[in-house]
Amino acid sequence: MEEPDWPNLEHAYGPAGDVPALLDALVPDGTADVWDELWSRLCHQGTVYSASFAALPRLTEAAARWDPADRVMVLALAGAIVVGLEDDAPAERTTLHRLTSEALAAANDPDDTVYLLQALLAFEGVPFWGEHLERLAGQEFEAVCPGCETPLFVVLDYDGLGYFASDGDYVGGRTTPRAPLRPADAAALDGIGARLHTAFADRGFTGLAEYVRHLFGDTVCPACSHPFPVAPAVVETF
């Protein structure tokens, strides 16, 4: 492949002349320091740059070279870059989608499955979930009450605290107003909710499947008691 003119491309900290060496140093081990270096340059706090898109062919090549079980980090980074595109899809999108599907079939870790599903949705151009599904692993989303516009936390059994909407800080023993989440019936889920629930339930990840049921259920605002479905309020926040 033709090498990009890296010094004339930009990443988060300026000219991207240091990116090729980082790409050359990539390894499947997601805990290696090179990944922190590359993420901070190519997808700093969700922002992407000209060098980010130029790196996609190399990221795709690495993913294709590695075993499916070793692709989580490289596909997560590629997905985070692709989801930032506003114009035509990159040529690598179809290949990345196939490589991610293979990695999902090999995944046996709940969090890895979340990140791979997010990448898959990014390559499919699915809004919101292709960028924010990873919040499922963190067991918390943000929402705004559609009635009174109060900012809310949507909590999915974080630290064993249960499933609820809160209009304030709920950790550290704080007792802020809360309203329980009423989970959706799994059989009644459709669209993206059904797809996510099936993906987790079929793999035996019952905890994640329960998160999805509650995320696609309903609640009332703890501030004004207005009833609303949870997932649309979460999506509308971003």
Side-chain angles (χ1 to χ4, degrees):
M1 66 182 72
E2 183 178 349
E3 191 70 7
D5 184 11
W6 292 106
N8 286 320
L9 298 176
E10 296 287 324
H11 59 45
Y13 306 117
D18 55 348
V19 168
L22 293 172
L23 293 171
D24 289 341
L26 288 182
V27 292
D29 180 5
T31 65
D33 291 343
V34 64
W35 288 110
D36 287 338
E37 296 290 331
L38 206 58
W39 271 92
S40 68
R41 285 164 172 76
L42 300 184
C43 193
H44 184 69
Q45 296 180 348
T47 303
V48 292
Y49 311 85
S50 57
S52 311
F53 308 125
L56 279 174
R58 292 285 301 274
L59 297 176
T60 304
E61 189 275 333
R65 189 172 68 248
W66 297 341
D67 290 339
D70 294 330
R71 298 173 185 167
V72 177
M73 186 63 79
V74 68
L75 292 171
L77 178 55
I81 293 170
V82 167
V83 83
L85 284 171
E86 297 179 358
D87 300 320
D88 293 339
E92 296 79 15
R93 176 174 277 179
T94 299
T95 300
L96 287 165
H97 188 277
R98 174 179 58 79
L99 295 170
T100 306
S101 296
E102 294 172 358
L104 264 172
N108 56 18
D109 177 82
D111 286 351
D112 286 353
T113 301
V114 170
Y115 298 128
L116 288 169
L117 271 172
Q118 176 172 288
L120 194 74
L121 295 170
F123 301 138
E124 293 176 4
V126 176
F128 184 80
W129 305 107
E131 186 174 4
H132 299 292
L133 184 64
E134 64 188 17
R135 291 173 177 261
L136 204 64
Q139 298 171 256
E140 180 192 276
F141 286 83
E142 296 173 13
V144 172
C145 170
C148 68
E149 300 186 347
T150 295
L152 303 171
F153 293 108
V154 173
V155 182
L156 304 172
D157 204 28
Y158 177 82
D159 205 23
L161 293 174
Y163 298 87
F164 57 89
S166 171
D167 68 352
D169 189 359
Y170 59 88
V171 297
R174 296 177 176 86
T175 55
T176 55
R178 302 176 182 182
L181 306 182
R182 189 177 71 168
D185 184 344
L189 289 169
D190 58 10
I192 188 65
R195 182 178 179 184
L196 295 174
H197 184 270
T198 297
F200 298 131
D202 285 356
R203 290 169 170 81
F205 300 145
T206 55
L208 286 169
E210 279 300 291
Y211 299 168
V212 172
R213 288 183 62 223
H214 285 81
L215 182 60
F216 285 83
D218 53 54
T219 189
V220 300
C221 175
C224 74
S225 299
H226 179 81
F228 62 92
V230 178
V234 166
V235 172
E236 285 297 319
T237 304
F238 291 86

